[in-house]
Amino acid sequence: MTGEMMKALLCERHGPPEDLILTDTLRPVPGPGQLLIAIEASGLNFPDALIIQDKYQMKPALPFSPGGEAAGTVAAVGEGVERLRVGDRVATLTNWGTFADYVVAPAEHTTIVPDSMDLETAGVFTLAYGTSHHALKQRAMLKPGETLLVLGAAGGVGLAAVEIGKAMGAHVIAAASSTDKLEIARRHGADELVNYGEVDLKATVKALTGGKGVDVVFDPVGDRLADPAFRSIGWEGRYLVIGFAGGNIPTIPLNLPLVKGASIVGVFWGDFVARTPDLHRANMDELYHWHSEGKLAPLISARFPLERGGEAIRWMMERKAVGKVVVTVGGAG
Ligand SMILES: NC(=O)c1ccc[n+]([C@@H]2O[C@H](COP(=O)([O-])OP(=O)(O)OC[C@H]3O[C@@H](n4cnc5c(N)ncnc54)[C@H](OP(=O)(O)O)[C@@H]3O)[C@@H](O)[C@H]2O)c1
């Protein structure tokens, strides 16, 4: 294997997505416990925009390729890997490196894609659906009949949270910045819609819940939405801190959780996968099963070939992405 080449979209210096360069580079070789995967499709996620600007918590050495998840086929296995074989259709997580023909990934973080799912869908499925499922199941302990408010509800993790919330039996209020985005959330199962570009979030959610407030808030946006969202939570509510796509990391006055008997619940899915890979794979089995039953239908709204991966990141930074965006690689081997 040593010395074989592949194409990769490389970040050679930190900066905007326009600086990414498609380059011939050495194909990596899997070490113990690792796999080499010939990539078919790679999902775009918000951290891809941060990592190339050196604004993400993980800081790979330059040069590196962005892209934190992918699906494809196993091309080689490292020492000690028994669960997976060459030729298996798989989906994996790597934090970076998947905007390339091949990536080396830990076998522990890799799942076998069932025949019921195509590899393009699998390439965008793990990170968004895995995050939202872990957040709602293990962190919020969402129960059937509870009310769930999802912010950024047409985004990657947001739309996944809408679908998973419905699959878990919740009443889902989708909140987003435009009518078009809310229409997408409605088509994916949302029961009620709130346009926070136009109406007051707290007052509208309170009215929709008869003054009671919601049981769970799923917040991937933060910034100026966090305060009104927290104020629309009800007694013993759980506020899921997912991310800060809006830009600023908000602060919440601690008297608010006190008077509501409510919890602020952090979600760090990447660490959850690393610390409890068996539980992660069990979660993915449940998600694959729900997908095969038609309960989950990931939306792929845009496709970019590998050489235009930078345009895909720009698309997301301009808030144009809905559901998932895929970087197609294909034909790698
Ligand atoms: N905690 C974890 O383990 C974990 C795991 C995965 C992702 N995340 C985080 O979750 C967040 C969302 O990720 P994603 O991949 O779902 O992103 P995404 O598809 O771009 O969705 C983000 C949503 O945030 C809203 N938004 C508000 N201001 C924005 C801005 N200035 N730029 C872009 N979007 C803005 C947009 O909805 P509206 O236009 O409707 O407001 C958009 O749909 C990110 O912060 C990411 O880092 C966290």
Side-chain angles (χ1 to χ4, degrees):
M1 277 307 228
T2 328
E4 288 188 72
M5 302 298 284
M6 68 169 189
K7 293 254 184 263
L9 194 65
L10 285 188
C11 174
E12 294 184 336
R13 58 167 193 265
H14 295 121
E18 290 71 22
D19 287 358
L20 296 172
I21 298 169
L22 189 70
T23 313
D24 286 310
T25 183
L26 267 183
R27 191 191 292 185
V29 176
Q34 295 181 326
L35 309 163
L36 179 70
I37 298 170
I39 297 174
E40 189 92 14
S42 178
L44 181 71
N45 294 284
F46 206 80
D48 303 328
L50 302 178
I51 205 165
I52 59 168
Q53 300 176 77
D54 202 21
K55 291 182 180 168
Y56 194 54
Q57 65 246 33
M58 292 177 189
K59 300 187 182 295
L62 294 166
F64 70 92
S65 172
E69 70 172 328
T73 50
V74 177
V77 295
E79 200 187 312
V81 174
E82 285 172 8
R83 194 174 52 83
L84 298 156
R85 285 158 208 258
V86 171
D88 281 349
R89 297 165 77 248
V90 291
T92 198
L93 299 162
T94 55
N95 296 315
W96 62 85
T98 64
F99 289 2
D101 286 338
Y102 291 86
V103 71
V104 157
E108 276 202 320
H109 301 174
T110 304
T111 53
I112 293 188
V113 177
D115 292 342
S116 50
M117 185 180 280
D118 60 74
L119 283 179
E120 186 183 58
T121 304
V124 302
F125 190 66
T126 308
L127 206 145
Y129 283 77
T131 297
S132 301
H133 180 251
H134 165 60
L136 296 174
K137 183 170 179 159
Q138 279 98 20
R139 303 302 290 136
M141 291 183 269
L142 180 70
K143 294 187 271 302
E146 287 194 317
T147 303
L148 166 68
L149 168 65
V150 180
L151 308 183
V157 294
L159 199 57
V162 168
E163 291 191 345
I164 292 166
K166 288 308 294 176
M168 291 173 75
H171 183 78
V172 176
I173 303 175
S177 64
S178 73
T179 325
D180 289 352
K181 286 186 174 183
L182 287 169
E183 174 54 22
I184 287 165
R186 191 190 59 73
R187 275 192 254 131
H188 286 256
D191 299 293
E192 325 253 17
L193 309 175
V194 180
N195 183 341
Y196 49 60
E198 287 180 355
V199 300
D200 181 78
L201 179 66
K202 176 191 156 197
T204 312
V205 172
K206 281 273 172 152
L208 287 172
T209 55
K212 188 172 157 273
V214 296
D215 297 298
V216 175
V217 175
F218 181 96
D219 181 7
V221 183
D223 203 74
R224 58 186 182 77
L225 288 182
D227 189 80
F230 199 93
R231 288 176 195 273
S232 54
I233 214 165
W235 177 246
E236 293 189 342
R238 289 87 80 204
Y239 187 96
L240 292 166
V241 182
I242 306 293
F244 314 106
N248 289 318
I249 299 179
T251 51
I252 299 280
L254 286 179
N255 62 313
L256 295 183
L258 185 152
V259 296
K260 290 162 183 279
S263 312
I264 299 173
V265 185
V267 177
F268 189 177
W269 177 73
D271 242 38
F272 160 76
V273 173
R275 288 166 189 269
T276 50
D278 293 350
L279 188 51
H280 159 61
R281 292 200 303 274
N283 277 3
M284 289 308 301
D285 284 345
E286 184 164 56
L287 290 169
Y288 286 136
H289 181 64
W290 285 345
H291 175 266
S292 75
E293 290 182 322
K295 290 180 178 167
L296 307 178
L299 168 68
I300 296 178
S301 63
R303 294 171 173 82
F304 293 82
L306 179 60
E307 61 272 22
R308 291 177 50 213
E311 283 175 56
I313 296 178
R314 175 60 67 194
W315 185 258
M316 170 169 272
M317 288 166 75
E318 288 178 352
R319 218 166 161 175
K320 291 179 184 157
V322 289
K324 296 300 303 173
V325 172
V326 69
V327 173
T328 50
V329 182

